């Protein structure tokens, strides 16, 4: 048995890079110091914030909600609201929603559940079915990612949030970094900064990633030690996503060469610094306002409205706007 490097009690975690081992008490102190250092380093919050925490009901987002709620007790000017986006994935989201409700009720946190069906008229399961029937080339994760990001920003703003906190950990960030390199999506790499915004658009809510430098295994242990770890339920659409293959390969590299993920993160931060100097060229000018829904967009029609148009799930007056714009220029 390995003992804690600080007090000699049985260890629950070993940092393979530093060689330090931590018992439960000292792991939670290590975790707290690491997250607070990340928040300070990237200047994520001011002394007065309404923090909307994006919570899926999974271990990482429940850990983030728990952590920020407890941290907010030390900052009188902070208000916390939990936001769950219910995509409408049968056998998945209905289960994770129960874990979400359990934790927000235990903490006594204000919350909001916003569904695809409420805002778009259809669940993700229905959207995927319609897309397949129409022969559209998009994977389920494409619809989910676009519509989720759209609602997170829109609903966080409607709630009066000054900042949107997401539970992306170091593993999530470097996986997405590798995916975007493979897809040659340099504009999307800019979104992987620890703080996104404020962009030059009044409807964009600044986003932060407090777990940016925290390994997934560390957030997992935090959730277990705080009785947050939910029953594991895998999204049925996950098998269509290249992320899972990249995740496995990066974990194998980290196991053989400890520190690989941190090296990739340093590489990402260097790339972001370089790309940010050419931001206007990369994202083709300033952030626009979608002519259909009025939300922030890189184009005259946002991706969410374009998907709704192609799926045939928008009103006739909205279709006319899209067709008018498409007749003038290609998105």
């Amino acid at each position: 048995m390995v003992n804690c490097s600080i007090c000699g009690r049985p260890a629950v975690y070993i940092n393979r890079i530093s060689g330090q081992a931590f018992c439960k008490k000292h792991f939670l102190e290590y975790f707290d110091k690491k997250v607070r250092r990340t928040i300070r380093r990237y200047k994520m919050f001011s002394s007065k914030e309404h923090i909307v925490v994006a919570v899926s009901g999974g271990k990482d987002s429940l850990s983030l909600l728990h952590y920020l709620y407890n941290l907010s007790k030390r900052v009188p000017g902070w208000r916390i609201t939990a936001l769950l986006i219910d995509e409408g994935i049968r056998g998945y989201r209905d289960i994770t929603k129960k874990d979400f409700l359990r934790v927000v009720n235990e903490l006594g946190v204000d919350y909001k559940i916003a569904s695809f069906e409420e805002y778009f008229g259809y669940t993700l399961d229905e959207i995927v079915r319609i897309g397949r029937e129409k022969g559209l080339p998009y994977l389920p994760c494409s619809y989910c990612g676009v519509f989720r990001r759209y609602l997170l920003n829109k609903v966080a703003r409607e709630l009066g949030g000054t900042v949107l906190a997401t539970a992306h950990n170091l593993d999530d960030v470097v996986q997405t970094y590798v995916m975007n390199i493979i897809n040659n999506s340099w504009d999307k790499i800019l979104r992987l900064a620890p703080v996104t915004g404020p962009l030059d658009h009044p409807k964009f809510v600044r986003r932060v990633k407090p777990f940016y430098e925290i390994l997934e295994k560390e957030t997992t242990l935090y959730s277990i030690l705080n009785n947050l770890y939910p029953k594991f339920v895998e999204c049925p659409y996950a098998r269509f996503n290249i992320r899972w293959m990249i995740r496995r390969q990066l974990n194998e590299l980290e196991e053989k060469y400890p520190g690989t993920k941190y090296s990739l993160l340093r590489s990402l931060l260097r790339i972001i610094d370089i790309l940010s100097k050419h931001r206007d060229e990369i994202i083709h000018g300033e952030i626009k306002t979608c002519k259909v829904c009025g939300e922030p967009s890189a184009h005259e029609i946002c991706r969410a409205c374009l998907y709704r148009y192609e799926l045939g799930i928008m009103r006739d007056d909205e279709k006319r706007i899209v067709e008018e714009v498409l007749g003038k220029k290609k998105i």
Side-chain angles (χ1 to χ4, degrees), residues 6 15 18 22 49 112 132 145-146 185 203 214 243 283 292:
I6 299 173
N15 184 321
S18 68
F22 301 103
E49 298 278 14
K112 164 78 175 178
R132 286 171 177 165
V146 167
S185 300
K203 291 187 175 182
I214 312 299
R243 176 184 297 276
I283 65 172
V292 176

Side-chain angles (χ1 to χ4, degrees), residues 32-188:
D32 177 50
K33 289 177 182 177
K34 196 172 180 182
V35 179
R36 283 191 289 114
R37 183 183 64 204
T38 302
I39 290 171
R40 288 194 305 270
R41 176 176 291 167
Y42 301 112
K43 301 176 182 177
M44 293 186 175
F45 304 113
S46 66
S47 60
K48 188 175 182 180
E49 298 278 14
H50 179 184
I51 304 170
V52 176
V53 184
V55 186
S56 66
K59 57 181 173 55
D60 297 316
S61 61
L62 290 176
S63 293
L64 179 63
L65 177 63
H66 181 273
Y67 180 84
L68 289 179
Y69 170 75
N70 284 298
L71 187 60
S72 72
K73 295 176 182 178
R74 311 180 209 173
V75 188
W78 283 11
R79 176 187 169 193
I80 305 291
T81 300
L83 170 61
L84 181 139
I85 304 299
D86 181 358
E87 306 91 345
I89 305 173
R90 184 174 298 177
Y92 173 68
R93 183 56 69 214
D94 49 340
I95 296 174
T96 62
K97 190 159 47 174
K98 292 178 182 177
D99 291 305
F100 168 81
L101 291 171
R102 172 179 64 86
V103 173
V104 295
N105 287 325
E106 286 176 358
L107 296 176
V109 177
D110 291 337
Y111 69 91
K112 164 78 175 178
I113 297 176
S115 70
F116 278 23
E117 188 170 25
E118 174 189 358
Y119 281 84
F120 304 122
Y122 295 84
T123 66
L124 180 63
D125 289 341
E126 292 169 334
I127 287 170
V128 170
R129 175 182 56 77
I130 293 169
R132 286 171 177 165
E133 289 173 353
K134 288 181 172 291
L136 297 178
Y138 311 113
L139 294 174
C141 294
S142 297
Y143 295 121
C144 186
V146 167
F147 289 137
R148 271 181 56 82
R149 286 192 296 272
Y150 179 95
L151 284 186
L152 283 172
N153 185 75
K154 179 180 176 64
V155 179
R157 188 183 69 248
E158 292 173 349
L159 290 169
T162 57
V163 59
L164 175 67
T166 64
H168 295 95
N169 56 45
L170 190 153
D171 293 61
D172 297 324
V173 172
V174 297
Q175 289 162 19
T176 307
Y177 176 37
V178 173
M179 288 168 59
N180 287 334
I181 290 175
I182 291 172
N183 293 326
N184 196 32
S185 300
W186 297 98
D187 57 327
K188 293 181 180 178

